[in-house]
Amino acid sequence: MPDYGQTLRFGSFLTPTAADATVVDLAVRSERAGLDLVTIQDHPYQPRFLDAWTLLTWIAAKTDTVTISPNVANLPLRGPAILARSAASLDRLSGGRIELGLGAGSFWDAIAANGGPRRSAGESVDALVDAITVIRALWSDERGAARVSGEHYSVDGAKRGPAPLHDIGIWLGAYGKRMLAVTGRYADGWLPSSFNAGPDALGAMTERVDAAAHEAGRDPAAIRRLYNISGTFTDSADGSFLNGPPRVWAEQLADMALLHGTGTFILGSDSADDLERFAGEVAPQVRDLVDAERNAT
């Protein structure tokens, strides 16, 4: 498996619970602890959750350095033109700190109940490709109006802008064969989760992403490899993934960075103590282990 040599980054994946403002405090503590990014799950049909884009904006105003992203934005209930302008606006307001995690959609009964479409698996992938094309057309600095004719999403003479302050990456949450191929052809990042695809599954999935990138004439190394993770800090390890002391976490994540090219690890946790241990103890050890291995080859 190739070593993509990506700069290692570490982040948090927080639950946007509406009952209190804990998520905002956790985002601020993530930054203070030294994490590189803060991400928020997006389920607009879930009344127990704060709206993701409103929350991301509030977090951007409360922080100074962390990158901020939905993990991942719910395309069927947001729409690409609105997503493009929301992300670009917040990128400008935050000083260039926004990335766009994007998903094709799931929980179709809930989406339909809130006025969204009900799509098959194939339709959702096709719609995602349309959406990426629309988003990039509206972010483009090309002259003239944007025109995209897609089966699910189109724009016909839409004015471009606002332009984001920096080149926002589109990161796809992808698992199936077609979605992995779309990631390789069109995305800036691949964002699976350990609770849906364990480390043992990543090798074959990475090969599909890379093959699609090659077929599209792209360098696979240009696609950032991210991974949502969860685990438990314990005094002793039991051999399972991310269940043990920080040193065991660091060894397992370093192996993933070297074997699969994973460059970003995002911890799904609403425990401030766990996030601080992840930032203060795990992340530095992962960096040291990966640097030592890369320098030895």
Side-chain angles (χ1 to χ4, degrees):
M1 196 65 62
D3 177 2
Y4 298 96
Q6 296 182 354
T7 301
L8 290 173
R9 304 178 72 196
F10 298 84
S12 58
F13 181 18
L14 307 177
T15 307
T17 304
D20 53 46
T22 302
V23 63
V24 179
D25 178 63
L26 288 172
V28 172
R29 293 182 73 166
S30 294
E31 178 177 76
R32 290 176 179 169
L35 290 177
D36 303 294
L37 67 157
V38 170
T39 70
I40 302 293
Q41 56 183 285
D42 180 28
H43 297 282
Y45 39 75
Q46 176 52 266
R48 293 186 295 106
F49 288 170
L50 297 165
D51 172 70
W53 275 108
T54 305
L55 176 58
L56 289 168
T57 302
W58 190 258
I59 289 172
K62 294 285 187 178
T63 57
D64 298 303
T65 61
V66 288
T67 295
I68 301 163
S69 176
N71 190 350
V72 291
N74 186 287
L75 174 63
L77 285 175
R78 299 212 178 265
I82 298 301
L83 275 174
R85 294 191 167 109
S86 297
S89 297
L90 191 50
D91 193 57
R92 297 184 72 87
L93 292 169
S94 67
R97 293 191 286 129
I98 303 303
E99 307 292 352
L100 181 57
L102 186 58
S106 57
F107 305 104
W108 294 104
D109 288 344
I111 288 171
N114 284 269
R118 188 188 299 275
R119 292 176 177 144
S120 68
E123 289 170 339
S124 67
V125 178
D126 292 338
L128 182 65
V129 174
D130 287 349
I132 293 171
T133 307
V134 168
I135 290 168
R136 290 201 169 125
L138 294 175
W139 286 345
S140 172
D141 59 2
E142 293 181 21
R143 300 187 64 179
R147 287 183 168 80
V148 175
S149 180
E151 182 177 351
H152 298 275
Y153 295 112
S154 300
V155 288
D156 186 9
K159 293 183 178 180
R160 305 181 197 270
L165 192 62
H166 87 296
D167 290 333
I168 294 176
I170 297 177
W171 302 340
L172 300 186
Y175 301 93
K177 293 180 180 179
R178 284 197 66 204
M179 279 291 290
L180 293 170
V182 167
T183 301
R185 293 187 187 112
Y186 302 105
D188 303 298
W190 174 38
L191 179 56
S193 301
S194 65
F195 25 94
N196 291 322
D200 292 344
L202 290 188
M205 298 170 78
T206 296
E207 290 176 0
R208 291 188 181 278
V209 172
D210 289 357
H214 281 302
E215 290 172 4
R218 304 182 67 203
D219 180 1
I223 302 169
R224 173 158 284 276
R225 315 302 163 114
L226 307 98
Y227 201 37
N228 291 322
I229 57 174
S230 63
T232 304
F233 287 111
T234 59
D235 292 333
S236 60
D238 64 1
S240 60
F241 184 58
L242 300 185
N243 189 30
R247 178 67 183 182
V248 170
W249 281 51
E251 290 170 350
Q252 292 177 338
L253 297 182
D255 285 344
M256 291 189 61
L258 294 166
L259 290 174
H260 304 302
T262 310
T264 301
F265 297 100
I266 306 171
L267 179 60
S269 176
D270 296 317
S271 164
D273 288 343
D274 284 356
L275 293 172
E276 288 170 354
R277 292 191 78 179
F278 183 58
E281 300 181 51
V282 176
Q285 292 187 67
V286 176
R287 291 188 173 105
D288 288 345
L289 290 168
V290 171
D291 284 348
E293 183 64 27
R294 287 175 176 167
N295 291 333
T297 57

